[in-house]
Amino acid sequence: MADLNLTDIFLAGMTTYGPLTLGLAMWMGTLGIPVPLPILALAAGAFARHGSLNWAVALFAALAGATLGDSLGYAVGRFAGEWAQRRFGKSPGWARAEARFHRNGWLAIFITRFLLTPLAVPTNLIAGGSGYPFRRFLLLTLAGTLTFLLFFGATGYAFGRQWEAVGKYVSSYFGWLIGAALVGAVVYFLARRWYQNRRSRATRQATSEPNQ
């Protein structure tokens, strides 16, 4: 048992205890514990195809576990956010960060459920700390988590007994996909910031010319 890794432990748990293990894994993953969620979702789909796992119950358990973990992160952010608001609330930078999250927060919440998953925990904390509406947060987390589970679960179901080969591919390239997405996001925001600054300078020059 000592030589089993975390993936083996959860896979053994899924075959023994069924959907509850997937729900526990999703809960732990949303709290920042490095659980191999894509691999487990692939396995759940494959197990469901061969009748060893009830997919409907597994989907419900996974959504329940993820929702509980995400809500806990949001609550921690809301509690800590009161202190942060008193400490930094008058800062222009803090105000801009809150405004930016309220403009694009829905996308950040949704995409970190299934693609940029390492950023899900800080996103939950920021959502709570910035006072983002909990009902909207909950709907977005459910939508993103459902997308994640259906994609990987359906893939595992489609490949059946070959899911382990697909899992190795996912393990090898999922990190690269996340890295590429992060680089793309940084490039996008830098380009957007450059464009906004250029537009602002052009506006100031156009405003000052009639006064000269």
Side-chain angles (χ1 to χ4, degrees):
M1 186 70 168
D3 60 346
L4 291 179
N5 59 32
L6 199 58
T7 302
D8 294 329
I9 292 173
F10 275 102
L11 289 175
M14 286 174 61
T15 57
T16 304
Y17 302 104
L20 289 178
T21 304
L22 184 60
L24 175 63
M26 293 295 294
W27 176 74
M28 293 173 63
T30 55
L31 295 179
I33 300 171
V35 179
L37 296 179
I39 304 300
L40 297 181
L42 280 170
F47 293 167
R49 177 172 178 171
H50 298 291
S52 58
L53 186 72
N54 187 315
W55 175 244
V57 178
L59 183 63
F60 175 80
L63 284 173
T67 301
L68 180 60
D70 287 330
S71 299
L72 181 59
Y74 178 95
V76 171
R78 175 64 63 89
F79 177 78
E82 296 179 359
W83 172 84
Q85 187 67 37
R86 291 194 302 268
R87 179 65 176 82
F88 304 108
K90 296 181 181 180
S91 167
W94 178 272
R96 285 195 300 270
E98 282 190 325
R100 189 176 298 114
F101 184 84
H102 279 289
R103 285 197 305 270
N104 302 308
W106 69 271
L107 181 60
I109 295 169
F110 178 74
I111 203 170
T112 53
R113 303 309 106 173
F114 65 91
L115 182 58
L116 304 179
T117 51
L119 301 180
V121 172
T123 299
N124 295 343
L125 296 173
I126 293 172
S130 66
Y132 195 83
F134 178 71
R135 182 179 299 179
R136 191 180 305 169
F137 170 83
L138 190 60
L139 289 175
L140 288 167
T141 57
L142 284 171
T145 303
L146 185 61
T147 301
F148 169 85
L149 291 169
L150 291 179
F151 175 78
F152 284 104
T155 301
Y157 188 93
F159 282 90
R161 299 190 186 279
Q162 285 75 44
W163 74 267
E164 292 185 78
V166 179
K168 292 179 181 179
Y169 178 86
V170 170
S171 298
S172 299
Y173 293 98
F174 197 68
W176 289 102
L177 179 62
I178 293 173
L182 286 173
V183 171
V186 170
V187 171
Y188 167 77
F189 284 112
L190 288 176
R192 182 179 178 182
R193 182 68 177 271
W194 174 83
Y195 174 77
Q196 289 176 343
N197 291 339
R198 183 179 179 183
R199 186 175 181 180
S200 178
R201 286 196 299 269
T203 302
R204 288 197 300 270
Q205 289 176 359
T207 304
S208 61
E209 285 178 358
N211 299 327
Q212 294 179 351

